[in-house]
């Protein structure tokens, strides 16, 4: 639930994880209690969800299997045949939702969440909200998404608070209320959710739901950037670029834009291209400007498409 419409985290993590050979069955494999593993994975997902770094789930779950010398395929086979607890049902749905150890099947995931866990599993309730919000595995329904987000927000799930705040901010399934959005973002941010920290920075920068405060916005963007949130890295660069809550520092802006651009952030790619085109704080380089405009434009960023078109016209008129 990020404030701008770009794909902030799609390419965030390019770390290679060591492959696990599913044919390797360790001598002590039979001694593992898979019920305990299910509960531990559920706790891991809860922590990632609360921190707002759910996109790391696949990597960290695979790392969990690797670090504990657990054969992931054997675990998945066991999971299919042992749907005897709410956590095991949720994990199977979660794996299908994200395509972990199996192919993505969001309809199967939604059916597991809604039919078996709708009343008694907080993470499943949140994912039901996601399914209704995005139309994943079911028909898109903003009102039902809002209702499920409200349920889990009231149970103090930070990602639920973030999601509910996003609904109030963007009039999704409820009447727009910027003050409620600010309150919920702040609550989730205080509980350590890094996307909420970033979103709260956006509200302070724009003066939405609260008094405009560039200094607070800068601190929040810095906080989210320091823990690796891609939107925060880009916005911290933007603050240094324009002097928002801090002194203008083109070198820092360039470095942060470069970092976020390399990780796939389309706005950072466009902003980096602008710096190259204009020679703004760095050596002018039209070829690099074109390269980064094209990168951003391919991700659908309209400003990059327009900037690329304008630059090509200038070149053709020389």
């Amino acid at each position: 639930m990020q404030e701008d419409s770009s794909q902030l985290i799609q390419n965030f993590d390019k770390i290679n994880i060591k492959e696990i050979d599913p044919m390797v069955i360790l001598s002590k494999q039979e001694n593992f209690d898979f019920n305990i593993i299910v509960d531990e994975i559920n706790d891991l997902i809860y922590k990632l969800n609360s921190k707002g770094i759910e996109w790391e789930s696949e990597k960290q779950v695979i790392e969990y299997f690797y670090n504990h010398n657990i054969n992931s395929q054997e675990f998945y086979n066991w999971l299919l045949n042992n749907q005897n607890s709410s956590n095991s049902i949720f994990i199977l749905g979660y794996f299908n939702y994200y395509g972990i150890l199996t192919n993505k099947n969001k309809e199967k995931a939604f059916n597991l969440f809604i039919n078996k866990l709708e009343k008694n599993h907080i993470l499943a309730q949140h994912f039901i909200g996601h399914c209704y919000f995005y139309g994943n595995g079911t028909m898109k329904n903003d009102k039902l998404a809002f209702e499920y987000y409200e349920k889990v927000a009231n149970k103090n799930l930070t990602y639920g608070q973030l999601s509910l705040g996003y609904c109030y901010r963007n009039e999704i399934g409820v009447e727009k209320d910027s003050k409620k959005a600010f309150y919920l973002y702040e609550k989730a941010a205080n509980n350590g959710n890094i996307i909420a920290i970033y979103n709260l920075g956006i509200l302070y920068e724009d003066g939405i739901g609260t008094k405009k405060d560039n200094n607070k916005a800068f601190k929040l963007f810095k906080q989210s950037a320091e823990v690796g949130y891609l939107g925060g890295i880009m916005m911290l660069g933007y603050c240094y670029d324009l002097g928002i809550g801090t002194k203008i520092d083109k070198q820092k802006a360039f470095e942060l834009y470069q970092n976020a651009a390399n990780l796939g952030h389309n706005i950072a790619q466009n902003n980096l291209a602008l710096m190259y085109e204009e020679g703004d704080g760095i050596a002018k380089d039209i070829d690099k400007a074109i390269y980064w405009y094209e990168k951003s434009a391919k991700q659908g960023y309209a400003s990059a498409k327009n900037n690329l078109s304008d630059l090509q016209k200038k070149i053709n008129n020389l």
Side-chain angles (χ1 to χ4, degrees):
M1 297 295 175
Q2 55 263 5
E3 278 299 313
D4 64 64
S5 60
S6 61
Q7 293 176 312
L8 296 183
I9 58 178
Q10 185 179 14
N11 299 313
F12 178 85
D13 196 335
K14 305 233 180 237
I15 299 172
N16 289 321
I17 306 301
K18 293 182 181 179
E19 291 185 10
I20 303 168
D21 186 350
M23 300 306 293
V24 175
I25 300 177
L26 301 174
S27 58
K28 295 184 179 180
Q29 186 74 41
E30 65 274 9
N31 295 327
F32 282 110
D33 186 338
F34 284 151
N35 286 297
I36 292 174
I37 292 168
V38 160
D39 292 340
E40 288 185 353
I41 292 174
N42 185 80
D43 290 345
L44 173 63
I45 293 167
Y46 187 93
K47 288 175 184 176
L48 294 172
N49 184 286
S50 295
K51 290 178 182 178
I53 53 174
E54 198 173 274
W55 67 85
E56 284 210 330
S57 294
E58 183 174 4
K59 179 177 80 73
Q60 293 214 18
V61 168
I62 291 172
E63 281 185 341
Y64 174 91
F65 290 126
Y66 181 79
N67 292 335
H68 291 80
N69 293 324
I70 298 166
N71 184 287
S72 58
Q73 195 58 55
E74 185 169 324
F75 171 78
Y76 187 75
N77 292 338
W78 175 91
L79 191 64
L80 289 172
N81 296 305
N82 289 272
Q83 292 293 286
N84 50 14
S85 72
S86 60
N87 282 350
S88 64
I89 296 167
F90 170 72
I91 297 300
L92 182 61
Y94 189 86
F95 283 9
N96 275 274
Y97 189 90
Y98 282 114
I100 299 173
L101 306 182
T102 187
N103 294 326
K104 281 186 183 180
N105 188 335
K106 293 190 176 179
E107 185 175 352
K108 182 177 179 180
F110 175 76
N111 287 334
L112 284 165
F113 296 149
I114 195 76
N115 291 331
K116 298 187 178 181
L117 300 175
E118 187 267 337
K119 293 180 180 178
N120 65 353
H121 199 285
I122 188 171
L123 287 175
Q125 289 172 341
H126 187 243
F127 273 88
I128 292 168
H130 271 354
C131 288
Y132 282 128
F133 184 93
Y134 293 108
N136 287 337
T138 187
M139 292 289 290
K140 182 176 170 63
N141 188 317
D142 290 346
K143 190 173 185 299
L144 286 173
F146 173 83
E147 288 177 5
Y148 277 95
Y149 289 152
E150 188 173 41
K151 283 181 185 181
V152 294
N154 289 338
K155 294 177 181 177
N156 213 34
L157 183 70
T158 61
Y159 211 117
Q161 293 161 354
L162 167 71
S163 302
L164 189 63
Y166 190 86
C167 288
Y168 276 115
R169 172 79 175 89
N170 296 282
E171 204 169 355
I172 297 168
V174 68
E175 188 175 339
K176 188 171 185 175
D177 190 329
S178 296
K179 288 186 177 180
K180 279 190 178 178
F182 177 85
Y183 166 78
L184 287 159
Y185 284 165
E186 186 174 49
K187 195 171 184 180
N190 289 339
N191 286 327
N193 187 287
I194 65 170
I195 304 176
I197 291 167
Y198 166 85
N199 283 3
L200 195 61
I202 295 289
L203 296 192
Y204 271 120
E205 186 206 356
D206 293 336
I208 295 171
T210 189
K211 185 178 179 181
K212 185 179 176 71
D213 191 327
N214 285 339
N215 291 329
K216 284 185 178 178
F218 173 79
K219 287 177 182 177
L220 289 162
F221 293 143
K222 190 170 188 288
Q223 190 179 345
S224 65
E226 285 173 347
V227 290
Y229 186 59
L230 194 48
I233 296 169
M234 196 287 296
M235 283 304 299
L236 187 61
Y238 186 73
C239 288
Y240 281 119
D241 194 3
L242 300 183
I244 298 171
T246 188
K247 291 181 180 178
I248 289 176
D249 189 327
K250 295 294 183 179
Q251 184 59 39
K252 282 186 178 179
F254 171 77
E255 290 170 1
L256 288 158
Y257 284 158
Q258 182 81 67
N259 187 357
N262 286 337
L263 291 168
H265 194 292
N266 57 1
I267 300 175
Q269 291 168 344
N270 176 73
N271 291 357
L272 184 62
L274 279 168
M275 293 188 83
Y276 275 122
E277 181 184 353
E278 298 168 0
D280 185 14
I282 58 170
K284 190 171 184 176
D285 192 323
I286 298 301
D287 288 339
K288 286 183 179 178
I290 292 171
Y291 172 83
W292 286 112
Y293 280 142
E294 287 179 342
K295 282 275 191 181
S296 181
K298 283 178 182 176
Q299 294 197 69
Y301 190 49
S303 293
K305 292 178 182 178
N306 294 333
N307 290 336
L308 179 60
S309 177
D310 290 343
L311 177 56
Q312 288 171 335
K313 286 176 184 176
K314 289 178 188 175
I315 294 170
N316 291 334
N317 290 332
L318 289 178

